[in-house]
Amino acid sequence: AQTIHQWPVAEIKAVGSPLSLGCTIKGKSSPNLYWYWQATGGTLQQLFYSITVGQVESVVQLNLSASRPKDDQFILSTEKLLLSHSGFYLCAWSLQDRASAETLYFGSGTRLTVL
Amino acid sequence: GQQVQQSPASLVLQEGENAELQCNFSTSLNSMQWFYQRPGGSLVSLFYNPSGTKHSGRLTSTTVIKERRSSLHISSSQTTDSGTYLCALEFYGSSGNKLIFGIGTLLSVKP
């Protein structure tokens, strides 16, 4: 069975400090990977997607970056946090095969508070 | 403009009452998904429903693509149904799957 693990569960960080959020998918090779973000009271929106190792596409510009160092790992990071980065971050995966790519599967998320 | 509109924005029910949540979209899509968002933020997938009607326990989802709408019916509501219900349009192609979410319906079920 496939599992998706996000870390940390929650973070409280200072403005201007660096950030690194992680996501690991086990039990599925070569998945599509995604980062979603939800501001408090806002709509979930896609930030990044990746269809292969080393390749990441940005969907929304939020002064964040993402990397896929391994097939099963997706990292979201920034060197300087802004107050507007606060919110809830979700990692997700889907199948590569378009014919059977029915849905996205989400992790349990990371709650980020920037002070 | 907004591609996904959900209504109502919030709903308060007495336990045992039924709920009808609506999702209207302004663009063509590959499919529609309904999620339950727990108070902590994590998502529970309820339905993947490209068209027609699907049932799961007390939940029913109906998607009518040509009318650009989908609904989620909750029968005999329970206090544990409280939370936010999100619908999302799904597009998939060479860049993988993309979900465009609505703002959600906040459901509160009173005992």
Side-chain angles (χ1 to χ4, degrees), chain A residues 34 36 38 88 102-104, chain B residues 33 37 41 48 90 97 99:
Chain A
Y34 312 85
Y36 278 79
Q38 184 179 36
F88 191 64
E102 286 196 341
T103 188
L104 269 69
Chain B
Q33 278 193 257
Q37 187 168 34
Y48 170 82
E90 183 172 28
N97 295 50
L99 293 179

